[in-house]
Amino acid sequence: MEYTKAFDLIAGKVEAELSGSGYTKQKVASESDNELVALFTSQNLAYSVVYYKDKQQMVLRSCAMTDEGPDNDWKTQSTWLYDDTVSTQKDAESIANDFIEGVSGTMAIRRAKQVKKKQKKSEDGNADPKFLAKRFVTFFPELKEEIKNEEDCYFPFRGATFAKEHIAPKLPLCIKRATKPELEKLAGVFNVQYGNGDVDTRSVITIVLLNSLDDADYDTLCPFFNEDLQKAAEAARKFKGKTVKPEKPKKKTPSKFSTLMDQK
């Protein structure tokens, strides 16, 4: 049985089992051509079924959920060899049954009870970039459909990418046409969301959106910012047009999902 069909069969049976327990299948893209991925999430726990083409392995994994999605600290629950030159549908069925046991058996129930949803660390606020994007629908109604398309195609929501591609290009004309009350209203969105936003949201506001403005548009809007945002925006402005050397990443297992440039 061809490996893609086997993967679909296994992932489908796992989905059927998990859906009865409140899990939702998410649309994700594989990080490389070497793998097939299916992701299922609940409030506290995520499962993924992965097929690694080079290793010819079907893998069931689990990790805790955060406010932003899976924490990507994946723990392997089961691994099977699947070589479609010799493996059959019966083999795929056996793998599916094992995976179903892995997500529904005694250990799975205990796992679900023990895992509590993790909160994102080092945040002053909790409003995320998707929440920020939705606040701009008042100014740009077409964003409603664009946000829906983003949610349908990517998980988690690519906050920085979405802001760069769909919000930033709309701001200059809006600022140029705005009356003083309209500028105050627009700046008010930035003020509130910067104050309530998590660290990603704050970066999207300053580095992505405000730094996308030319000096004239920025100078028009800036007087309506509150003190906190003015200070942050002026600091971020120093990096406009510059390439910032990224920090050396902490050693951890890399995500197998295409979740970023969103990872600014």
Side-chain angles (χ1 to χ4, degrees):
M1 187 178 190
E2 204 266 334
Y3 70 87
T4 57
K5 293 182 179 179
F7 176 83
D8 289 342
L9 183 152
I10 294 166
K13 288 183 176 291
V14 171
E15 178 182 7
E17 181 66 30
L18 287 173
S19 63
S21 301
Y23 285 78
T24 301
K25 184 177 182 180
Q26 304 294 346
K27 294 184 178 181
V28 292
S30 301
E31 194 170 72
S32 74
D33 293 334
N34 182 52
E35 62 190 37
L36 301 176
V37 179
L39 173 65
F40 312 95
T41 63
S42 67
Q43 182 178 5
N44 296 331
L45 192 63
Y47 284 103
S48 71
V49 176
V50 186
Y51 180 71
Y52 297 105
K53 300 176 188 177
D54 58 347
K55 298 177 181 179
Q56 297 180 318
Q57 289 181 343
M58 292 282 183
V59 179
L60 174 69
R61 307 181 306 175
S62 67
C63 74
M65 289 290 287
T66 72
D67 287 337
E68 299 176 324
D71 70 0
N72 291 324
D73 184 17
W74 294 102
K75 295 177 175 58
T76 299
Q77 305 301 329
S78 183
T79 302
W80 286 69
L81 181 66
Y82 190 88
D83 178 356
D84 63 3
T85 61
V86 294
S87 298
T88 65
Q89 181 171 342
K90 184 177 180 180
D91 295 317
E93 295 278 0
S94 295
I95 296 172
N97 290 336
D98 179 72
F99 284 7
I100 288 172
E101 174 63 24
V103 301
S104 62
T106 303
M107 290 301 296
I109 295 172
R110 185 180 303 173
R111 187 183 308 126
K113 289 181 178 180
Q114 289 176 343
V115 175
K116 293 183 178 181
K117 185 176 181 180
K118 296 181 180 179
Q119 302 296 317
K120 187 182 176 187
K121 298 180 181 179
S122 302
E123 294 177 347
D124 292 329
N126 54 22
D128 61 17
K130 181 166 69 173
F131 187 85
L132 170 68
K134 291 181 177 180
R135 303 288 73 76
F136 284 99
V137 171
T138 301
F139 301 93
F140 314 115
E142 64 273 23
L143 281 178
K144 185 175 182 179
E145 184 64 25
E146 293 170 355
I147 290 170
K148 182 179 183 301
N149 290 338
E150 176 74 17
E151 292 175 321
D152 287 344
C153 295
Y154 297 96
F155 180 84
F157 188 87
R158 303 174 306 159
T161 298
F162 185 87
K164 180 180 179 181
E165 294 180 355
H166 297 282
I167 302 176
K170 297 177 172 64
L171 290 174
L173 184 58
C174 177
I175 292 170
K176 288 179 174 65
R177 291 179 172 179
T179 62
K180 182 178 178 181
E182 289 170 339
L183 288 171
E184 290 176 341
K185 184 177 180 181
L186 179 62
V189 171
F190 283 108
N191 289 333
V192 171
Q193 298 311 311
Y194 185 82
N196 295 338
D198 60 23
V199 290
D200 287 337
T201 298
R202 292 185 169 196
S203 294
V204 168
I205 288 172
T206 54
I207 301 298
V208 179
L209 295 179
L210 297 184
N211 274 8
S212 73
L213 300 175
D214 63 24
D215 291 341
D217 291 336
Y218 176 81
D219 291 342
T220 298
L221 193 60
C222 184
F224 300 99
F225 294 154
N226 60 28
E227 183 178 355
D228 286 345
L229 182 53
Q230 281 193 359
K231 289 181 179 179
E234 288 299 324
R237 200 76 179 165
K238 298 176 183 178
F239 295 97
K240 180 176 169 61
K242 296 182 179 180
T243 300
V244 181
K245 186 177 181 180
E247 292 183 327
K248 292 182 179 179
K250 296 179 181 179
K251 292 182 178 180
K252 64 177 184 178
T253 303
S255 166
K256 294 298 181 184
F257 303 106
S258 175
T259 57
L260 306 175
M261 143 145 174
D262 230 18
Q263 324 308 57
K264 329 163 200 29

